[in-house]
Amino acid sequence: QQADLTAGHGVLRYTGLIAVSVDGGITKLLSAGFGIPVLASRLAGIAISMVAGWLAHRRFTFRLATPPTLVEFVRYAGVAWSAAAINYAVFAAILFVYPALEPLIALVLSSLVAMAAAYLGMRFAAATLLVGFYAFGIYGKLSYYPLRWSDAFFSTHSFASALSLNPVLYFA
């Protein structure tokens, strides 16, 4: 009896496994096979695994029938690079503290830390950030009072001037 890969949350495990496998394979190939330094190899591994993860999520998680677009990938990459930055920083830190450690072990450990950070960030910080951006859009500055006409005429910042004179048209 075969398990349905797309049932429940299992598909997320498989798409994540695809991305981590591509990351590890590219990193190992470039570092061991071509002699490229591990930290540079890891950047290439992360970039290529991001494409693999995006395509896997399109196919298995979301089952999209439309062809992939560059705009869709850019949106996906914007979210994924925050987790990738944590992943790479932890990977580099592990290798600096334990230079004799096999890079694939550091890759797995850093991927676990980044996965937890991404989950916690999406679970708890996403709503907070959304409210924060909305409030900043209303106020336009980091003070209690919103931007006023006087900010437009007496401010040394051209952005504050333009935003307080034409808040809606500035972003259109």
Side-chain angles (χ1 to χ4, degrees):
Q1 179 180 1
Q2 279 188 325
D4 182 13
L5 296 182
T6 61
H9 296 294
V11 71
L12 292 176
R13 281 185 240 134
Y14 291 108
T15 55
L17 187 60
I18 289 170
V20 169
S21 298
V22 169
D23 185 3
I26 295 295
T27 301
K28 188 69 171 178
L29 174 72
L30 293 177
S31 62
F34 292 101
I36 297 172
V38 174
L39 293 177
S41 299
R42 183 70 202 281
L43 286 175
I46 287 172
I48 295 170
S49 72
M50 192 174 300
V51 174
W54 170 60
L55 292 173
H57 281 300
R58 282 191 101 261
R59 173 78 174 103
F60 301 117
T61 306
F62 304 117
R63 297 182 183 203
L64 297 176
T66 60
T69 65
L70 182 61
V71 172
E72 180 186 280
F73 175 71
V74 169
R75 275 188 266 151
Y76 177 84
V79 173
W81 271 113
S82 59
I86 293 170
N87 194 332
Y88 186 76
V90 171
F91 176 77
I94 290 171
L95 288 181
F96 282 128
V97 173
Y98 303 104
L101 185 69
E102 170 64 35
L104 285 179
I105 294 172
L107 184 141
V108 170
L109 293 174
S110 64
S111 295
L112 290 172
V113 170
M115 179 183 63
Y119 171 77
L120 292 173
M122 293 294 180
R123 176 82 169 99
F124 298 111
T128 305
L129 287 174
L130 184 61
V131 169
F133 285 133
Y134 182 71
F136 184 73
I138 290 173
Y139 285 100
K141 61 182 180 179
L142 297 175
S143 70
Y144 183 72
Y145 299 104
L147 285 173
R148 301 179 187 247
W149 287 100
S150 61
D151 290 326
F153 295 107
F154 299 109
S155 176
T156 58
H157 302 288
S158 62
F159 177 74
S161 299
L163 186 61
S164 59
L165 286 173
N166 268 327
V168 176
L169 296 176
Y170 190 81
F171 291 110

